Amino acid sequence: LPLFERLERRIVDGERKGLEDDLDEALEQKPALDIVNETLLSGMRTVGELFGSGQMQLPFVLQSAEVMKAAVAHLEPHMERVEGESGTKGTIVLATVKGDVHDIGKNLVDIILSNNGYSVVNLGIKQPINAILDAAEEHDADVIGMSGLLVKSTVVMKENLEEINQRGLSARWPVILGGAALTRAFVEDDLAELYAGEVRYARDAFEGLRL
Ligand code: B1M
């Protein structure tokens, strides 16, 4: 297979051997972020479709995710960064919500924001709202970012916003929400209506950066 098709295939097949060599070759032709966005994410989309239609079993999805993570880790040092202002633009506390283990997208958001001058406190996966609010307080965060890929995570996000409201903290923390199960309309119409502060939807890591 040609290089970029082979790389995409590696994600789908969860084939790690020779990954780094292919990525190095790809880096000679394209910026690291283009490789992520055009090739690797396309492979992950295929994995999602195969899994969703019952053509791929969970352990293989996990393998694909591992290869995806290894690829992103290999590419990260090559990603463009804004020099000389690391962490000076503001602080975001970032977490995958309670009950959800998906973290590839969240970690991409971390990389993109960190490389562009924001300080990111990445709490990891399955984070209850208490932990998110404690970290936001401790780090004097400017924004809270929540990620979730499961449909049930959209419910958790709603409950989290209600909890922030109830604690009277919504004016203090604007919230950015992202993840494949959300829609812009759900966040910016339904959730924005119930949240007393500002809540916005980010379709991808770059929209997160812009917000
Ligand atoms: Co799971 N999984 N998974 N999974 N998985 C999905 C989400 C699913 C859609 C697959 C499918 O059925 N087609 C489905 C959810 C269905 C639903 O809820 N209706 C699903 C399921 C069902 C499950 C399990 C329940 C399976 C099971 O156990 N039977 C289980 C859940 C466990 C749990 O969470 N409690 C599970 C487990 C797993 C693995 C562990 C095997 C693995 C995750 C590994 C990991 O993350 N460390 C996995 C994977 C890999 C997927 C798919 C195939 C790919 C997800 C991914 O990494 N995409 C996924 C299919 C899909 O999404 N269509 C699927 C690449 C990533 C870069 O995209 O995270 O969307 P994404 O991030 C994007 C944007 O959304 C955005 O930016 C990123 C791009 O720039 N973004 C943000 C994300 N967060 C943001 C935050 C922001 C801003 C932007 O600001 C705060």
Side-chain angles (χ1 to χ4, degrees), residues 41 44 47-49 51-52 58 61-62 65 68-69 94 99-106 108-109 145-147 149-152 176-180 202-205 208:
L41 285 185
M44 277 318 273
V47 171
E49 284 160 16
F51 179 59
L58 197 61
V61 180
L62 194 53
M68 177 77 189
K69 284 187 162 195
L94 193 60
D100 196 324
V101 304
H102 297 88
D103 65 354
I104 295 174
K106 166 183 69 62
L108 272 178
V109 173
M146 294 189 260
S147 178
L149 266 70
L150 301 172
V151 169
K152 73 172 189 200
I176 300 177
L177 299 178
R203 193 176 61 88
D204 56 28

Side-chain angles (χ1 to χ4, degrees), residues 65-203:
E66 294 301 329
V67 175
M68 177 77 189
K69 284 187 162 195
V72 172
H74 190 76
L75 292 174
E76 189 184 348
H78 301 276
M79 288 184 195
E80 212 176 295
R81 58 181 74 228
V82 181
E83 293 300 338
E85 47 178 344
S86 73
T88 55
K89 286 185 184 164
T91 300
I92 180 167
V93 162
L94 193 60
T96 300
V97 298
K98 187 180 73 181
D100 196 324
V101 304
H102 297 88
D103 65 354
I104 295 174
K106 166 183 69 62
N107 292 342
L108 272 178
V109 173
D110 180 350
I111 292 170
I112 303 292
L113 293 183
S114 303
N115 285 354
N116 284 279
Y118 292 89
S119 170
V120 179
V121 181
N122 187 340
L123 300 179
I125 58 172
K126 298 205 251 182
Q127 291 296 313
I129 186 64
N130 277 343
I132 296 172
L133 288 174
D134 285 352
E137 181 77 53
E138 184 189 338
H139 297 276
D140 195 17
D142 300 289
V143 185
I144 289 173
M146 294 189 260
S147 178
L149 266 70
L150 301 172
V151 169
K152 73 172 189 200
S153 297
T154 64
V155 178
V156 174
M157 287 174 181
K158 178 170 178 275
E159 289 166 359
N160 286 353
L161 294 177
E162 284 166 345
E163 179 67 26
I164 305 176
N165 272 346
Q166 256 164 32
R167 295 195 195 184
L169 293 170
S170 44
R172 174 145 181 214
W173 282 304
V175 176
I176 300 177
L177 299 178
L182 293 166
T183 62
R184 186 174 302 282
F186 176 67
V187 176
E188 294 184 354
D189 299 337
D190 301 8
L191 295 184
E193 184 140 320
L194 78 88
Y195 189 51
E198 192 170 0
V199 57
R200 303 287 287 274
Y201 170 70
R203 193 176 61 88

